[in-house]
Amino acid sequence: MIGAAAADGFTFTGQGYRSPEQQIAVRRTNCGPSQYDVYQMPPNDCHPPTAYPGTSMHEQGLAIDFIANGSLISSHSDPAWQWLNTHAATYGFYNLPSEPWHWSVNGT
């Protein structure tokens, strides 16, 4: 997929696997610093929505947050998102609709 994207003018990089410790750090950043924020706050109350530690597709190595040409894909109107939307399923990646940058093996 990376090669096909490059042939079409897109350089994709990103962040994939997260350790449990990294997922906790992401929850603290996106949800808040308290124990409640990290372990109990509903994921959709975080900004952006963020999975509980132990449940993230990133922790399983099954998701990636894509960066295209040096910038996080932040909207569905981004040409890189449009490229992924057209081609990624061919390679087994599906988008989480609420997060244009987040692609996984099942769209969650």
Side-chain angles (χ1 to χ4, degrees), residues 91-103:
Y91 301 94
F93 286 96
Y94 303 90
N95 180 240
L96 176 63
S98 63
E99 299 180 8
W101 57 87
H102 181 91
W103 294 75

Side-chain angles (χ1 to χ4, degrees), residues 12-108:
F12 286 118
T13 60
Q15 299 174 343
Y17 174 76
R18 285 186 201 135
S19 69
E21 295 79 15
Q22 290 170 316
Q23 186 64 24
I24 290 168
V26 170
R27 281 283 294 191
R28 284 193 174 114
T29 298
N30 296 346
C31 308
S34 75
Q35 290 293 96
Y36 170 81
D37 297 334
V38 173
Y39 296 102
Q40 295 176 319
M41 178 184 284
N44 287 335
D45 288 350
C46 303
H47 302 286
T50 306
Y52 295 112
T55 68
S56 170
M57 294 296 283
H58 288 282
E59 287 175 278
Q60 298 173 47
L62 300 174
I64 186 167
D65 291 341
F66 276 111
I67 295 167
N69 302 328
S71 297
L72 187 69
I73 299 172
S74 61
S75 78
H76 296 116
S77 63
D78 185 312
W81 184 88
Q82 293 173 1
W83 190 94
L84 286 166
N85 192 50
T86 300
H87 301 283
T90 302
Y91 301 94
F93 286 96
Y94 303 90
N95 180 240
L96 176 63
S98 63
E99 299 180 8
W101 57 87
H102 181 91
W103 294 75
S104 69
V105 298
N106 65 4
T108 63

Side-chain angles (χ1 to χ4, degrees), residues 1-8 10 83 91:
M1 182 171 84
I2 300 300
D8 288 339
F10 297 98
W83 190 94
Y91 301 94

